[in-house]
Amino acid sequence: MDNQIIKTKLGKGVDGCYVPSHRFKTARISVTAYLPLKEETAPALSLACLLLSNGCKKHPTPMEFSQRLD
């Protein structure tokens, strides 16, 4: 079952995918949202993507966030 990509449609303009593996104790889930590119929303969307992948209020640095996830 390794190396098989499983894709699913989560909603309008939102896709999810994962690769099942029994070799690791953790998993990574990927969610892709397709949004229209508009000049007025581009900076906020770019910042939101950066924040979602690098931390949260309780674990503000990428290192703290990663350690908590581990």
Side-chain angles (χ1 to χ4, degrees):
M1 192 163 186
D2 285 351
N3 298 323
Q4 176 187 5
I5 298 174
I6 298 175
K7 296 180 181 181
T8 185
K9 189 148 190 78
L10 301 173
K12 183 179 178 184
V14 181
D15 295 337
C17 70
Y18 69 97
V19 179
S21 176
H22 301 288
R23 295 182 292 164
F24 306 104
K25 64 180 182 176
T26 59
R28 174 172 280 207
I29 298 171
S30 173
V31 176
T32 304
Y34 301 97
L35 302 168
L37 186 58
K38 296 180 181 176
E39 188 175 341
E40 60 272 9
T41 59
L45 292 174
S46 179
L47 181 59
C49 290
L50 177 66
L51 292 174
L52 286 171
S53 63
N54 285 317
C56 63
K57 185 176 182 179
K58 194 171 179 180
H59 307 286
T61 67
M63 181 183 283
E64 287 178 274
F65 190 62
S66 179
Q67 287 174 338
R68 175 62 182 125
L69 291 175
D70 287 345

